[in-house]
């Protein structure tokens, strides 16, 4: 291995450490607790080293969001691949999405609530974000119904899931009705 390859590998390792530590700190104490000073202390590097990887917290949030998008896509695909039929796939997708949001609140915030400097629904949208949407579309497109654009239907279904995830987390919905909400959502929105 050349010196250059070793340096690149070490740099990539530091970057992964920064992102993992930011994510861990955000999950423990919220995103307000994630500061470059605190990150530098936790990973035992100086703040200038941190800034050599990320220009600031916004870029770190963006990196966590991209990592989270890849995880969300994998989670949705794993949950839907075992379901037998379009409606069971839509229900499995909904449960997996809501479970992901509940288990990873800081990642979910990085993806959908905070400014990570990422473009959504645009030409320059990063691939992990496009792939997360594609994972939803793969299962939801088949239940959109005749004459309904599958992408538009997926956006509406996703918006409903996001609303459920956000309201549940904020304690605005009765805790015992989660399964019934998923059933109702799938029943009322799917056409298959």
């Amino acid at each position: 291995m050349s010196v250059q390859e070793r340096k690149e590998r070490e740099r990539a390792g530091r970057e992964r450490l920064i992102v993992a530590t930011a994510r861990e700190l955000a999950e423990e104490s919220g995103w307000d607790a994630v500061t470059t000073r605190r990150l530098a202390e936790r990973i035992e590097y100086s703040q200038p080293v941190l800034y050599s990887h990320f220009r600031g917290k916004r870029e770190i949030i963006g990196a966590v969001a991209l990592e989270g998008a890849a995880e969300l896509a994998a989670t949705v695909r794993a949950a839907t691949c075992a379901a037998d039929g379009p409606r069971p796939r839509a229900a499995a997708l909904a449960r997996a999405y809501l479970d992901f949001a509940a288990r990873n609140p800081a990642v979910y915030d990085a993806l959908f609530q905070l400014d990570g400097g990422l473009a959504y629904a645009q030409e320059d949208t990063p691939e992990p974000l496009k792939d997360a949407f594609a994972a939803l579309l793969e299962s939801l497109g088949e239940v959109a119904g005749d004459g309904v654009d599958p992408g538009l239907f997926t956006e509406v279904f996703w918006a409903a899931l996001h609303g459920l995830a956000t309201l549940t987390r904020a304690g605005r919905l009765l805790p015992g009705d989660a399964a019934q909400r998923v059933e109702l959502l799938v029943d009322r929105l799917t056409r298959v």
Side-chain angles (χ1 to χ4, degrees):
M1 172 183 312
S2 72
V3 171
Q4 181 64 26
E5 288 173 329
R6 182 183 52 77
K7 285 183 180 183
E8 287 174 14
R9 191 176 74 224
E10 288 172 356
R11 180 173 177 75
R14 277 192 310 272
E15 195 164 297
R16 283 190 304 276
L17 177 63
I18 293 166
V19 171
T21 304
R23 181 177 174 167
E24 177 183 294
L25 187 55
E27 292 292 359
E28 288 172 5
S29 306
W31 278 104
D32 287 341
V34 180
T35 64
T36 53
R37 185 174 55 80
R38 189 172 279 154
L39 280 174
E41 288 171 3
R42 276 229 180 160
I43 63 173
E44 298 178 347
Y45 283 105
S46 67
Q47 283 183 317
V49 169
L50 219 88
Y51 285 117
S52 74
H53 290 274
F54 298 99
R55 283 182 281 189
K57 183 175 176 177
R58 181 178 185 219
E59 283 189 4
I60 294 169
I61 291 170
V64 170
L66 292 176
E67 188 177 271
E71 291 172 16
L72 177 60
T75 297
V76 165
R77 286 185 175 115
T80 58
C81 76
D84 186 28
R87 286 180 70 140
R89 271 191 289 283
L93 178 149
R95 287 188 299 273
Y97 183 97
L98 294 171
D99 183 57
F100 178 88
R103 283 185 296 104
N104 304 284
V107 172
Y108 194 82
D109 285 349
L111 270 165
F112 302 120
Q113 306 284 41
L114 301 173
D115 179 10
L118 303 173
Y120 285 78
Q122 298 176 20
E123 294 263 337
D124 60 341
T125 297
E127 279 307 312
L129 298 178
K130 288 180 182 178
D131 189 50
F133 184 78
L136 300 176
L137 181 61
E138 289 163 11
S139 291
L140 295 174
E142 63 186 346
V143 295
D146 294 336
V148 177
D149 176 76
L152 185 61
F153 176 80
T154 299
E155 288 175 345
V156 171
F157 199 97
W158 173 29
L161 289 174
H162 177 70
L164 288 173
T166 303
L167 291 170
T168 299
R169 185 164 147 208
R172 303 294 197 265
L173 301 175
L174 294 172
D177 296 336
Q180 291 171 312
R181 285 187 199 97
V182 168
E183 287 178 32
L184 183 62
L185 179 67
V186 172
D187 183 56
R188 299 294 185 202
L189 289 184
T190 59
R191 301 281 183 166
V192 175

